[in-house]
Each structure stands twice: as structure tokens, then as C-alpha cells.
Amino acid sequence: MWGRYRLRPASPERAEALAQACALSPTLAQVLIHRGVDEEEAVEPFLKPTLAGLRSPKSMRDRARAAERIARAIGAGESMAIFGDYDVDGTTSLAILTGIIRALGGQITPLVANRFE
């Protein structure tokens, strides 16, 4: 397993077929299959995502409860810390959330994971 993806086996024949059908290199097709993108109709949405293709944040478990807790902490002047991953989406979301909480008057310490420690 790598990150949040469980690598799936991909035969060279299937990778070649997907590559031909979608005008991709066999290497990219192999990577897509490993990521679970093994149907032709799934390739373009994966490689060219759109806002309309995003899942609703309403599906996030305990989202409302977390928002209420953050609001309570801001209102009470509590110090908070948030952790972000070292990759692009992790550091971006960490920066956005830190900026929003500070703009709302919150005391926040952003922490970035270190892949070496």
C-alpha cells in the first residue's frame, strides 16, 4: 500500500489496451490501473478533474461536530494546533485552514508532518 492507495495488479496487456483506447503511454496506463482507474470512462475524470466532479463535503463524517468544536475554541480563545501532510494538498489545506481560523480570531499553530522523522 502506498499513501491512501492500495496498489492493484495490472497486467501489461490490460495496460496496453487502456493506453491504446485512451491515447496514453503504457506506463501512465499502468499507473492508472494501480490506482484503480481501469475503465476507459474513468480515465478523463481522473486526469482532468473538475469542480463538478468533487464529492460534497457533507459526506465527511463528523464535519458539523468538528466545525462546532473549532467555533467554540475560537470563541473561548483556546489555542489550537492543526497537522498537515507534507504533500501539496496537505500543505495547501493547512495554509488555507490556518488563514481562515486566524481571520476569525483563532489562535492556531500549524504543524507539518516530516517524512524523515
Side-chain angles (χ1 to χ4, degrees):
M1 192 153 107
W2 180 74
R4 65 177 167 233
Y5 299 106
R6 181 174 300 276
L7 293 180
R8 298 178 182 157
S11 72
E13 296 82 16
R14 178 64 192 129
E16 185 62 38
L18 187 64
Q20 297 242 341
C22 299
L24 306 170
S25 73
T27 303
L28 178 55
Q30 185 84 30
V31 170
L32 291 172
I33 292 170
H34 282 309
R35 299 287 186 269
V37 181
D38 55 2
E39 300 295 327
E40 294 171 30
E41 59 274 357
V43 170
E44 187 165 351
F46 185 85
L47 293 177
K48 298 177 183 176
T50 63
L51 289 177
L54 292 176
R55 286 183 273 190
S56 169
K58 293 178 183 177
S59 66
M60 295 171 77
R61 196 172 103 196
D62 293 330
R63 180 181 65 95
R65 190 171 150 203
E68 289 169 11
R69 179 62 184 104
I70 292 168
R72 237 183 14 256
I74 292 170
E78 297 176 26
S79 293
M80 294 176 275
I82 53 175
F83 296 87
D85 201 356
Y86 50 80
D87 57 13
V88 172
D89 59 331
T91 54
T92 301
S93 59
L94 182 66
I96 291 169
L97 189 54
T98 298
I100 290 169
I101 291 173
R102 285 183 177 156
L104 293 170
Q107 298 175 34
I108 189 80
T109 301
L111 302 167
V112 179
N114 182 331
R115 71 168 78 184
F116 302 109
E117 295 179 11

